[in-house]
Amino acid sequence: MTLPPLPERVEDFDGLNWDAIQPYYDELLNRDLTPDTTPQWLADWSHLEALLDDTYTALHIAYDLDTAD
């Protein structure tokens, strides 16, 4: 199974649930690491982590700003 590329923007990522995100982690965990493939693996890992971190931050800010409760 070939995964679609990860979104570039948080706005395109924040609607995904774990079932949509987990295959990206699984693919990284199962990818062969060699000296030649490590830089791309690190770049892909960093991109996925940045999307998750930025999504968490955006959701946390939205939660803090919601004073209706």
Side-chain angles (χ1 to χ4, degrees), residues 19-41:
D19 290 335
I21 296 168
Q22 182 179 4
Y24 293 99
Y25 276 104
D26 292 342
E27 193 276 330
L28 286 167
L29 287 171
N30 293 316
R31 195 184 297 178
D32 288 333
L33 285 176
T34 68
D36 292 335
T37 62
T38 300
Q40 185 60 53
W41 189 94

Side-chain angles (χ1 to χ4, degrees), residues 2-50:
T2 302
L3 293 172
L6 281 170
E8 292 298 319
R9 301 170 341 125
V10 171
E11 296 82 9
D12 299 329
F13 185 78
D14 67 1
L16 299 180
N17 62 22
W18 176 246
D19 290 335
I21 296 168
Q22 182 179 4
Y24 293 99
Y25 276 104
D26 292 342
E27 193 276 330
L28 286 167
L29 287 171
N30 293 316
R31 195 184 297 178
D32 288 333
L33 285 176
T34 68
D36 292 335
T37 62
T38 300
Q40 185 60 53
W41 189 94
L42 288 170
D44 294 342
W45 175 264
S46 295
H47 181 61
L48 178 57
E49 288 299 304

Side-chain angles (χ1 to χ4, degrees), residues 52-66:
L52 287 170
D53 188 53
D54 290 350
T55 299
Y56 170 80
T57 300
L59 291 171
H60 190 69
I61 290 170
Y63 173 81
D64 284 346
L65 293 176
D66 181 8

